Amino acid sequence: MSGTELPPVEPVGAVACVIPAKDEAERIAATVAAVQKIAGVDLVVVVDDGSTDGTSAAAEQAGAIVVRHERNRGKAAAMETGAAAVAERDGARARTLLFLDADLTDSATGAEPLIEPVVAGRADMTIGTLPAQVRADGSKAGGHGFVVRLARSGIEQATGWAPEQPLSGQRCMTRTAFEAALPLASGFGVETALSVDLGRKGFRIIEVPIEVRHRATGTDWRGQLHRARQFLHVRRALAARRALPSRKPPQ
């Protein structure tokens, strides 16, 4: 045997998946079923964040543990509620936490590569980088990139690291890393704030390519409103951390 000491590896079955969900009755069952096929995941918690449809019933029927918010409290609150539900069942055992979006359906199995670097001790948080997403009409999804640029610049200013996809919600992390980031930033600023807070504290963060698909945001007024809210929330999270990128004078 080599004298090189290997990093500790958490046992198989030490991963809990937390899925925040809001009005995802049509997609959540397929997402839960796919997550249950990921090696190492033995607990799936869906946090129904004030849905007005059958999200809770569909998730329960698919085999998930469901925790419900009576009113919509936002993604960060749903993540905290889900992690608390996992901790309540873990006792002294601290599981790795896998956070996935509710609309991935059967593609959620593609998130499996996020887990290995964390349980093998090479990363404290992994962030999934997704392939280009395509809308139902075959056109390429995505906006003008101004929210991504803001988040990337703020994270780089705060930590020296510029992620490719700073807004990705597909993440895996140790319980220690998650607790170090509490309380989470509210609204759409949660992912950006996670990277800033953990990066500043010296936690190891890496991006991992994954093959998953989610519902693409449109370019109609609803899509534009969504991006405007994203921008404001990310800006607020960066401002609270004094990480707003400075404007460079024109050359």
Side-chain angles (χ1 to χ4, degrees):
M1 292 180 63
S2 168
T4 303
E5 184 177 350
L6 297 176
V9 178
E10 294 188 23
V12 173
V15 181
C17 182
V18 175
I19 306 175
K22 171 72 165 64
D23 293 332
E24 291 287 357
E26 294 183 1
R27 293 170 174 257
I28 190 62
T31 301
V32 170
V35 170
Q36 291 170 333
K37 298 176 183 177
I38 295 177
V41 174
D42 64 350
L43 177 64
V44 181
V45 176
V46 171
V47 181
D48 183 345
D49 190 29
S51 296
T52 57
D53 62 4
T55 294
S56 287
E60 286 181 345
Q61 290 171 7
I65 293 171
V66 176
V67 184
R68 177 172 169 78
H69 291 167
E70 291 303 318
R71 60 178 179 82
N72 180 245
R73 294 170 52 192
K75 185 175 183 179
M79 291 172 67
E80 291 182 2
T81 294
V86 172
E88 184 178 344
R89 287 163 174 78
D90 279 352
R93 176 192 188 193
R95 298 192 201 210
T96 297
L97 297 171
L98 175 66
F99 293 96
L100 296 179
D101 291 342
D103 61 353
L104 303 181
T105 63
D106 59 348
S107 77
T109 55
E112 185 169 329
L114 292 172
I115 296 173
E116 194 274 340
V118 177
V119 299
R122 296 196 304 276
D124 301 299
M125 179 171 73
T126 54
I127 303 172
T129 57
L130 282 61
Q133 302 292 293
V134 179
R135 299 190 183 93
D137 62 3
S139 63
K140 186 178 178 180
H144 302 294
F146 61 94
V147 186
V148 171
R149 288 193 294 271
L150 173 64
R152 181 184 295 128
S153 297
I155 294 168
E156 183 176 19
Q157 177 163 303
T159 69
W161 171 63
E164 178 185 344
Q165 294 186 16
L167 303 179
S168 174
Q170 324 316 316
R171 301 188 178 218
C172 185
M173 66 191 78
T174 64
R175 165 67 66 171
T176 300
F178 179 80
E179 291 181 350
L182 295 176
L184 302 181
S186 62
F188 297 111
V190 60
E191 289 89 5
T192 301
L194 269 170
S195 295
V196 170
D197 293 342
L198 294 183
R200 279 178 165 171
K201 292 179 179 179
F203 287 91
R204 298 160 298 166
I205 307 171
I206 62 173
E207 292 186 301
V208 178
I210 58 174
E211 291 291 331
V212 304
R213 302 179 305 277
H214 62 80
R215 183 173 51 247
T217 303
T219 56
D220 58 8
W221 68 269
R222 291 184 181 86
Q224 298 302 331
L225 179 60
H226 170 76
R227 292 185 182 94
R229 291 178 62 202
Q230 262 192 320
F231 182 87
L232 291 174
H233 290 187
V234 169
R235 194 179 192 284
R236 181 175 63 196
L238 291 173
R241 288 156 178 79
R242 298 184 179 180
L244 274 176
S246 57
R247 294 184 179 179
K248 296 181 180 179
Q251 301 295 322

